[in-house]
């Protein structure tokens, strides 16, 4: 029984043109993301007791996932988690503002400085993976990268912003010009959603801190 499923994009495939092209979005969402979902479900079929657990919980403690499917959960579960996070954070031409932007200025010494450091991290990642802005357990923002489909919850980090830098995310339009794709990404960040994720993470962390 398929437990995890691929949600439709919350916008049209061509909604991010010209920054991210329609064909890339169709293949990326309909083929690549679908494959992560299918392979995750196939792995979980062997362990139905895990299938009912939220994906985030499985990724947060991979050592508790049976060894025979641990790699599949890490790669395909991570792939599903990362892409499910990514799609709804994209929207064209949303002004960068809100509490998260204030926090970025305070943390990185300016919004442009943040952009530069995030872009450097994304451009410098060797091979396939993701660049992230995450919140750590001290309610601080950090820029980091993960290889392949490794997901922030596996490091106890809460994703606030993420960028897929696998070639499948940009090759049709940008070929080897990853920096141009990264530059284009800054035009399609839904800052309203990023701000909501930031506020949510802040209040969740405060609750956790209060319980400690
Ligand atoms: Mn991808």
């Amino acid at each position: 029984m398929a437990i995890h499923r691929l949600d439709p994009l919350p916008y049209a495939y061509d909604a991010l043109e010209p920054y991210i092209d329609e064909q890339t979005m169709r293949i990326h969402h309909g083929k690549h993301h679908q494959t992560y979902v299918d392979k995750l479900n196939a792995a979980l079929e062997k362990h139905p007791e895990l299938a009912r657990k939220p994906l985030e919980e499985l990724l947060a403690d991979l050592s508790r996932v049976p060894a025979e499917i641990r790699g599949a959960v890490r790669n395909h579960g991570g792939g599903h988690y990362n892409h499910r996070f990514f799609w709804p954070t994209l929207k064209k031409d949303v002004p960068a503002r809100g509490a998260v932007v204030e926090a970025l200025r305070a943390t990185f010494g300016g919004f442009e400085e943040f952009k530069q450091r995030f872009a450097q991290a994304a451009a410098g990642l060797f091979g396939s993976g993701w660049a992230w802005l995450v919140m750590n357990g001290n309610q601080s923002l950090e820029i980091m990268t993960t290889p392949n489909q490794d997901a922030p919850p596996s490091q106890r980090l809460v994703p606030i912003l993420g960028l897929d830098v696998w070639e499948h995310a940009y090759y049709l339009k940008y070929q080897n010009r990853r920096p141009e794709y990264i530059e284009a990404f800054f035009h399609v960040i839904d800052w309203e959603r990023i701000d909501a994720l930031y506020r949510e993470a802040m209040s969740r962390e405060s609750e956790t801190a209060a319980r400690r």
Side-chain angles (χ1 to χ4, degrees):
M1 188 176 60
I3 295 290
H4 295 279
R5 61 192 173 83
L6 179 66
D7 287 331
L9 285 182
Y11 41 75
Y13 282 111
D14 66 357
L16 307 174
E17 290 268 9
Y19 303 108
I20 304 181
D21 61 292
E22 175 177 356
Q23 196 191 1
T24 295
M25 289 299 289
R26 280 188 187 280
I27 296 170
H28 195 178
H29 176 264
K31 304 289 184 199
H32 291 278
H33 189 173
Q34 182 71 61
T35 301
Y36 295 124
V37 171
D38 292 346
K39 292 191 170 173
L40 172 65
N41 282 328
L44 290 175
E45 261 176 32
K46 297 172 203 152
H47 290 273
E49 76 282 6
L50 295 183
R52 284 182 297 273
K53 284 197 173 186
L55 181 54
E56 196 167 349
E57 223 174 276
L58 295 177
L59 292 170
D61 200 351
L62 283 166
S63 67
R64 295 180 65 164
V65 173
E68 57 157 346
I69 64 163
R70 192 174 300 145
V73 170
R74 179 176 178 176
N75 293 328
H76 303 298
H80 179 38
Y81 177 92
N82 291 338
H83 289 85
R84 192 178 63 182
F85 173 88
F86 186 51
W87 306 128
T89 64
L90 304 178
K91 192 177 183 182
K92 205 156 67 172
D93 299 328
V94 178
R97 60 182 175 215
V100 70
V101 172
E102 291 309 312
L104 289 173
R105 289 197 180 108
T107 305
F108 299 101
F111 185 68
E112 284 307 311
E113 283 74 7
F114 155 72
K115 276 177 68 174
Q116 228 174 55
R117 287 197 32 197
F118 187 90
Q120 270 169 9
L125 172 66
F126 181 76
S128 297
W130 291 72
W132 300 98
L133 174 73
V134 294
M135 185 177 290
N136 64 28
N138 300 321
Q139 291 193 318
S140 304
L141 293 171
E142 283 176 29
I143 291 169
M144 47 98 73
T145 60
T146 55
N148 305 312
Q149 294 296 352
D150 284 2
S154 300
Q155 299 178 46
R156 306 273 165 179
L157 296 167
V158 180
I160 306 294
L161 176 72
L163 176 60
D164 187 343
V165 291
W166 282 57
E167 283 189 345
H168 70 221
Y170 64 87
Y171 203 85
L172 288 178
K173 184 176 170 80
Y174 296 99
Q175 292 86 48
N176 62 327
R177 305 186 305 279
R178 189 193 283 184
E180 280 181 38
Y181 161 67
I182 296 166
E183 184 52 42
F185 169 64
F186 286 108
H187 291 271
V188 295
I189 298 173
D190 184 351
W191 285 104
E192 277 184 35
R193 174 141 181 115
I194 302 308
D195 191 46
L197 291 169
Y198 170 74
R199 288 165 186 270
E200 196 183 301
M202 284 295 277
S203 59
R204 211 174 346 153
E205 279 299 325
S206 313
E207 281 167 31
T208 314
R211 278 200 302 272
R212 279 200 285 260

